[in-house]
Amino acid sequence: MNRPALLVIAHGSRDPRHAATVQALVRRAGALRPGLRVETAFLDFNLPSAAGVLDRLAAEGVRDVVALPLLLTRAFHAKADVPAVLRQAPASLRIRQAEVLGPSPLLVAAVERRLYEAGLAPGDKSATGVVLASAGSTDPEAIAVIAETARELRRTGWCSVRPAFASASLPRTEDAVRALRAEPGVRRVAVAPYVIAPGRLPDRIAAGAAEADVLADVLGPSPELARLLLARYDGATRAAERVTAAAV
């Protein structure tokens, strides 16, 4: 049986670094699964559009697609924008929307990878406070997931971890940095951007990290994220197979 194609749907940005980083991540995931058809699309600002790729897949005879929102939390884009695009897809396509990327231990591992690449070492954990800085959301579910991810990161041994947000929610990155400075036992402060690709909000996070000792890179095409894309694809295909088996 032919495997469903994987369509990774990113938000998009006017910043050209965003699309380049998304494409690099998707290529890395595809390289881990030879023979799997992997496509990239964007909701806004960048091409190809999600609607355009879906039309092309249908025209080429593809019948099964797993649509994966390239999002860290299940907020507005995952709940509204992506489903709206999928509802307009050609009727010949059977589409299953995969779960968003977070929460996942692989994301925590990717954050730690970026912190180590920025110059920290495992031995620094007990004296380092970390600001887990995300883009931000007004969705309570998304905020709760970010808070839980911060707690999971703290459980790996960092002295303290505080969530922060570039928009929509508080605290801001700079405020979380100052709060960590005041905590007992924190001798250095690191900012870990909990975002996938560069853009306006990640730049805002970087600006807010001016008083931090360490600024890590965005998650980008890390090995952990590439593996997570495939894990979400596999979860969606298994769910589809269970539904099919139950209907027989």
Side-chain angles (χ1 to χ4, degrees):
M1 185 177 76
N2 291 332
R3 288 180 290 181
L6 170 59
L7 174 59
V8 179
I9 304 177
H11 180 268
S13 170
R14 292 185 178 90
D15 189 321
R17 297 173 298 167
H18 177 91
T21 301
V22 169
Q23 296 281 10
L25 171 60
V26 175
R27 283 196 302 271
R28 187 162 202 166
L32 294 175
R33 190 71 60 88
L36 174 64
R37 179 164 184 172
V38 184
E39 300 276 353
T40 308
F42 299 90
L43 290 172
D44 205 356
F45 301 119
N46 302 109
L47 294 174
S49 69
V53 174
L54 289 167
D55 287 344
R56 174 164 55 80
L57 289 172
E60 293 175 5
V62 173
R63 290 294 172 261
D64 293 287
V65 177
V66 170
L68 171 58
L70 193 66
L71 301 166
L72 296 176
T73 61
R74 192 172 171 274
F76 182 80
H77 296 305
K79 293 176 179 178
D81 290 345
V82 173
V85 170
L86 299 182
R87 283 194 298 269
Q88 300 300 315
S92 62
L93 292 176
R94 292 185 292 265
I95 303 174
R96 176 167 290 272
Q97 182 175 329
E99 295 294 327
V100 297
L101 300 183
S104 169
L106 286 169
L107 288 171
V108 174
V111 168
E112 289 204 290
R113 171 186 291 276
R114 294 306 189 220
L115 286 167
Y116 296 149
E117 290 172 349
L120 295 172
D124 297 324
K125 282 186 170 185
S126 62
T128 302
V130 178
V131 176
L132 187 70
S134 73
S137 174
T138 57
D139 189 302
E141 180 183 350
I143 297 300
V145 168
I146 298 298
E148 178 56 29
T149 301
R151 287 191 289 270
E152 288 298 321
L153 184 60
R154 170 68 182 83
R155 292 184 189 110
T156 68
W158 298 95
C159 182
S160 181
V161 179
R162 286 176 176 257
F165 308 93
S167 68
S169 310
L170 295 175
R172 295 288 183 257
T173 303
E174 54 268 31
D175 296 324
V177 168
R178 293 176 190 129
L180 280 175
R181 289 272 185 224
E183 287 195 25
V186 174
R187 293 201 292 272
R188 71 180 62 80
V189 175
V191 173
Y194 193 61
V195 292
I196 294 172
R200 178 176 58 86
L201 294 180
D203 283 349
R204 189 177 295 174
I205 289 171
E211 296 179 19
D213 302 295
V214 175
L215 172 62
D217 200 358
V218 298
L219 300 177
S222 65
E224 294 83 5
L225 251 67
R227 288 164 50 203
L228 184 53
L229 262 60
L230 296 176
R232 293 292 185 253
Y233 170 84
D234 291 339
T237 55
R238 285 194 298 267
E241 288 165 1
R242 287 194 296 269
V243 170
T244 300
V248 173

